[in-house]
Amino acid sequence: MRKLFIAGNWKMNKTISEAVELVNSLKREVVDIESVDIVVCPVFTALSEVADLVIDSNIGLGAQNVYWEEVGAFTGEVSPKMLKDAGCKYVIIGHSERRKYFGETNETVLKKIKAVQSAGLSPIVCVGETLDEREQKKTIEVIEKQLKDGLKEIKDDNLEDIIIAYEPVWAIGTGKTATPEQAEEIHKFIRGWIKENYSSDISEEIRIIYGGSVKSSNAKDLMSQPDIDGALVGGASLESQLFVELIKNSL
Ligand code: PGA
């Protein structure tokens, strides 16, 4: 039985004091929830303050990006070791906004996965097609390439530790959610791909979460699909009440 995994991707939102306020409230509201891995991914500047608050709680901490080198002359970048030092357990890799605005490719995704795993962190690896690709019926082809190139050289033992997030680009921040059936179709494809390229056991264990306009009203329908194991939530994770409702509605 795969445990639900719900992560809030705060994107470029919240000052340190706003982050602290949100996490304090979230902590109180979800204290009794044991059946979900709850994670928040604040901006870099708020990580260490949030880490102090969530230590010994049922909330995990993730970063939204990382660089693959350990240390050195890479102005503006943050290494896996530094994220670990700040209290992170997870890192989002290959989000479509990073692919679109910052030149992230399947090749850099692979480098980041490897670096993050050698530092003992778990990657949340995002895949997903654009509207254009979906309309041209290229969804499966695009996802397959993202998996094949992004996970190339990742061995069985390392794959178990990865969370895959299927995020159709056309559903992110647009209010347009994939229907549970549309999302399930792709999640099932991803699980099948893992079975074929790794093993049946790994495909049963790995968590594949959905992202793209998830909110409390659609969370249950999405997460009751057999291959959807949680959510990566943007907008609805920015207010404690909304995020808590979403989590509770997913149970
Ligand atoms: P959204 O963002 O929930 O605001 O659509 C999801 C994401 O980009 O991870």
Side-chain angles (χ1 to χ4, degrees), residues 108-121:
T108 59
V109 164
L110 177 61
K111 285 185 178 183
K112 290 182 178 189
I113 296 174
K114 287 185 183 167
V116 154
Q117 290 194 317
S118 358
L121 296 164

Side-chain angles (χ1 to χ4, degrees), residues 227-244:
D227 291 296
I228 302 184
D229 308 315
L232 184 56
V233 185
S237 71
L238 293 175
E239 267 180 55
S240 169
Q241 205 46 44
L242 291 181
F243 196 43
V244 170

Side-chain angles (χ1 to χ4, degrees), residues 217-231:
S217 57
N218 57 24
K220 182 82 199 167
D221 283 348
L222 285 161
M223 278 173 259
S224 50
Q225 296 295 316
D227 291 296
I228 302 184
D229 308 315

Side-chain angles (χ1 to χ4, degrees), residues 9 11 95-97 167 171-175 211-214 232-236:
N9 172 13
K11 309 194 178 181
H95 190 279
S96 63
E97 285 151 16
E167 298 207 304
I172 296 176
T174 57
S213 300
V214 180
L232 184 56
V233 185

Side-chain angles (χ1 to χ4, degrees), residues 174-236:
T174 57
K176 275 190 217 156
T177 326
T179 63
E181 295 72 26
Q182 278 174 323
E184 171 60 19
E185 185 194 351
I186 307 304
H187 281 239
K188 198 170 167 189
F189 166 75
I190 296 172
R191 205 175 297 288
W193 187 89
I194 290 164
K195 185 173 173 186
E196 214 173 284
N197 290 277
Y198 289 88
S199 72
S200 181
D201 282 357
I202 296 176
S203 78
E204 285 308 313
E205 273 162 36
I206 194 162
R207 287 182 290 186
I208 307 171
I209 63 175
Y210 170 79
S213 300
V214 180
K215 40 190 183 285
S216 63
S217 57
N218 57 24
K220 182 82 199 167
D221 283 348
L222 285 161
M223 278 173 259
S224 50
Q225 296 295 316
D227 291 296
I228 302 184
D229 308 315
L232 184 56
V233 185

Side-chain angles (χ1 to χ4, degrees), residues 82-181:
M82 290 160 188
L83 294 180
K84 184 143 198 210
D85 186 42
C88 289
K89 237 180 116 184
Y90 304 93
V91 186
I92 300 173
I93 296 178
H95 190 279
S96 63
E97 285 151 16
R98 298 227 49 95
R99 292 180 191 255
K100 183 172 169 195
Y101 303 125
F102 304 102
E104 189 92 285
T105 62
N106 295 333
E107 289 66 40
T108 59
V109 164
L110 177 61
K111 285 185 178 183
K112 290 182 178 189
I113 296 174
K114 287 185 183 167
V116 154
Q117 290 194 317
S118 358
L121 296 164
S122 298
I124 302 171
V125 180
C126 303
V127 296
E129 82 287 5
T130 62
L131 183 58
D132 202 35
E133 289 160 344
R134 175 160 281 261
E135 283 173 352
Q136 291 181 43
K137 310 226 175 309
K138 286 194 179 150
T139 301
I140 296 287
E141 192 187 312
V142 169
I143 306 287
E144 184 163 25
K145 185 155 175 56
Q146 288 171 337
L147 293 171
K148 207 168 136 218
D149 295 351
L151 300 177
K152 190 163 73 185
E153 302 160 24
I154 301 294
K155 302 273 176 293
D156 289 25
D157 286 356
N158 285 336
L159 195 78
E160 283 168 17
D161 187 41
I162 291 177
I163 289 135
I164 295 181
Y166 168 56
E167 298 207 304
V169 180
W170 48 272
I172 296 176
T174 57
K176 275 190 217 156
T177 326
T179 63
E181 295 72 26

